[in-house]
Amino acid sequence: RLSGMPELKLGLNDKVMMMKRRRHRSSRRKQKTVEMDDIRFHPCVRLTRFENNRTISFIPPDGEFELMNYRLDHSQQTIRPLIMVECHRNIISHSKVEYIVKCKSEFKRRSTANNVEILVPVPLDVDSPTFKTSVGNIEYLPEKNMIRWNIKQLNGQKEYLMKAQFGLPSLTANEAGQIDDNDGLNKKPIQVKFEIPYFTMSGIQVRYLKVIEKSGYSALPWVRYITQNGDYQIRM
């Protein structure tokens, strides 16, 4: 927390912000970068300074606020989902269906996703649920017609399986979701929630954060990186 009206200077790494210039400079070297488009700053940012030296200079308003936002350019390179989830449904008998769910982390080994939550939709009126997995815990949410698979920590480049079986009074292939209905209402997506500390999808990094205050009081800048899911859905 800061008192008064100090000026803050935030410097970002050239890997992201200067990528276009590097691409034109040499076609031989391929930089492992991700281009950011549609960068938008809070009104408190002095845009002239950013355009001149890529330094974000601003006097922060009271309270919490969003300094900048951007989107990643998928046309420059393929950006894979951080957590891939596949779901296969098999009809075992006329009154039983099996779900086999595979979860794979696509980020680097040194990173870890915390509080991973995978929500898999199931048909209405299922009963007698049984679950099997080597990691995390599973529960059936009858009020939402979903399976919830919780994994406290998911390390990078790992793959796990979960199996679930349900009974139904009268099960058809259409009710189990293996055959598309006419309007597609039964094809609800899988939802994934997670957070990855010390990780940024774009590769953006803060080179420095300076606090400039005329009164001369000292402040300790602190930066934390964290990637969280947004509207993260996977079609079954």
Side-chain angles (χ1 to χ4, degrees):
R1 296 183 179 181
L2 301 173
S3 60
M5 296 184 64
E7 179 183 0
L8 272 64
K9 290 185 177 181
L10 183 70
L12 302 179
N13 58 317
D14 292 341
K15 175 182 178 182
V16 175
M17 308 309 294
M18 304 297 291
M19 192 194 70
K20 290 184 179 180
R21 188 175 300 175
R22 289 180 178 179
R23 187 188 302 127
H24 293 299
R25 185 179 300 171
S26 175
S27 60
R28 295 180 181 179
R29 294 183 301 173
K30 293 183 178 180
Q31 302 292 334
K32 293 183 178 180
T33 55
V34 180
E35 185 174 355
M36 298 193 305
D37 281 346
D38 297 336
I39 301 176
R40 298 181 182 180
F41 292 105
H42 188 275
C44 68
V45 175
R46 297 170 179 173
L47 297 179
T48 304
R49 294 188 181 181
F50 175 76
E51 293 172 355
N52 291 336
N53 55 21
R54 301 294 176 179
T55 298
I56 302 175
S57 178
F58 62 100
I59 297 177
D62 294 335
E64 184 176 335
F65 69 100
E66 185 177 85
L67 181 64
M68 65 176 287
N69 62 68
Y70 57 89
R71 67 179 181 85
L72 302 182
D73 185 2
H74 293 260
S75 64
Q76 298 300 325
Q77 69 179 63
T78 301
I79 302 175
R80 296 179 60 84
L82 295 175
I83 298 178
M84 290 289 294
V85 178
E86 297 179 7
C87 180
H88 301 279
R89 288 160 290 198
N90 303 314
I91 295 178
I92 300 177
S93 65
H94 291 293
S95 60
K96 185 174 291 187
V97 61
E98 179 185 58
Y99 287 76
I100 301 176
V101 182
K102 181 173 72 174
C103 170
K104 183 179 180 181
S105 54
E106 297 287 351
F107 47 88
K108 294 182 179 180
R109 294 180 184 274
R110 65 173 178 264
S111 297
T112 301
N114 296 329
N115 303 319
V116 178
E117 183 177 289
I118 301 172
L119 296 168
V120 182
V122 297
L124 300 172
D125 301 327
V126 295
D127 57 29
S128 306
T130 59
F131 307 113
K132 183 178 181 181
T133 184
S134 59
V135 63
N137 60 81
I138 313 163
E139 58 182 327
Y140 168 52
L141 306 177
E143 70 279 3
K144 296 183 178 180
N145 300 312
M146 286 185 171
I147 306 168
R148 182 164 61 192
W149 184 10
N150 293 309
I151 304 175
K152 188 173 182 180
Q153 290 188 323
L154 177 62
N155 295 328
Q157 299 299 304
K158 292 292 184 179
E159 181 177 312
Y160 297 103
L161 286 177
M162 179 270 285
K163 292 184 179 181
Q165 288 187 4
F166 291 94
L168 278 177
S170 178
L171 181 66
T172 65
N174 186 281
E175 290 170 331
Q178 297 200 154
I179 298 177
D180 293 344
D181 55 343
N182 294 330
D183 54 13
L185 293 177
N186 289 339
K187 305 294 287 185
K188 294 182 179 179
I190 296 172
Q191 301 176 40
V192 185
K193 301 178 181 179
F194 61 89
E195 60 180 26
I196 307 176
Y198 314 111
F199 178 86
T200 59
M201 189 71 180
S202 64
I204 190 173
Q205 293 181 352
V206 176
R207 290 191 291 118
Y208 61 83
L209 176 59
K210 298 180 180 179
V211 180
I212 303 173
E213 171 58 41
K214 293 181 179 179
S215 63
Y217 73 83
S218 60
L220 297 176
W222 180 67
V223 178
R224 181 179 67 161
Y225 299 97
I226 186 169
T227 295
Q228 295 178 317
N229 65 281
D231 187 11
Y232 200 103
Q233 298 184 346
I234 300 173
R235 294 291 172 182
M236 299 178 64

